[in-house]
Amino acid sequence: MAKQQSHIKDKNEVKNEYPKMYKVIMHNDDFTTMEFVVEVLRTVFRKDESQAEQLMMKVHKEGQAVVGVYTLDMAITKRDKAMRMAREQEFPFRMTVEPEEESI
C-alpha cells in the first residue's frame, strides 16, 4: 500500500518574514527655507542638528536625499506630517515614498 503524503507544514518550516521597507525622499525646491527643512528633519525624522544640516545640504546640492527608511505605514505617516507642516508655512515642499531595493 502506498503512503499518503501530508500537506501539513511542520512548525520548524515556518519562515519569519520582515516587512517590506520604504524610503522617504525629500526633494529640493527654490522656495522652502533651509531652516524649515532642518526643523522638519529634527522634529519629524528625529535627526540631531548635525545630521539635519548635512541632509539639508545634500538635498540642496543633489536635488533630493533619502531621509529615512521605514515600514510603509510609518513612512507615509512621517511624509504626511512633514507635508502638513509645509502647507501651514505655505512652502511648496515635496517628499515622496518609494520601495527600498531588496538586498540579495
Side-chain angles (χ1 to χ4, degrees), residues 44-73:
V44 178
F45 295 92
R46 303 285 187 224
K47 306 296 183 191
D48 65 33
E49 188 74 27
S50 176
Q51 292 172 317
E53 288 178 6
Q54 288 174 2
L55 276 170
M56 178 271 298
M57 288 307 297
K58 183 174 183 173
V59 171
H60 181 68
K61 290 179 179 179
E62 297 178 20
Q64 67 182 32
V66 174
V67 296
V69 179
Y70 308 95
T71 60
L72 181 58
D73 288 344

Side-chain angles (χ1 to χ4, degrees), residues 18-77:
Y18 294 97
K20 189 170 181 180
M21 301 301 283
Y22 292 80
K23 303 179 286 189
V24 180
I25 301 169
M26 183 178 286
H27 300 272
N28 189 44
D29 66 68
D30 293 331
F31 302 100
T32 304
T33 66
M34 293 179 176
E35 294 81 11
F36 176 79
V37 171
V38 168
E39 182 63 21
V40 166
L41 290 166
R42 292 185 70 225
T43 60
V44 178
F45 295 92
R46 303 285 187 224
K47 306 296 183 191
D48 65 33
E49 188 74 27
S50 176
Q51 292 172 317
E53 288 178 6
Q54 288 174 2
L55 276 170
M56 178 271 298
M57 288 307 297
K58 183 174 183 173
V59 171
H60 181 68
K61 290 179 179 179
E62 297 178 20
Q64 67 182 32
V66 174
V67 296
V69 179
Y70 308 95
T71 60
L72 181 58
D73 288 344
M74 186 60 70
I76 290 171
T77 298

Side-chain angles (χ1 to χ4, degrees), residues 87-102:
R87 279 193 307 271
E88 288 172 4
Q89 298 293 316
E90 298 182 356
F91 288 126
F93 182 76
R94 188 168 71 94
M95 299 188 84
T96 56
V97 173
E98 296 179 8
E100 182 180 41
E101 294 81 27
E102 294 184 27

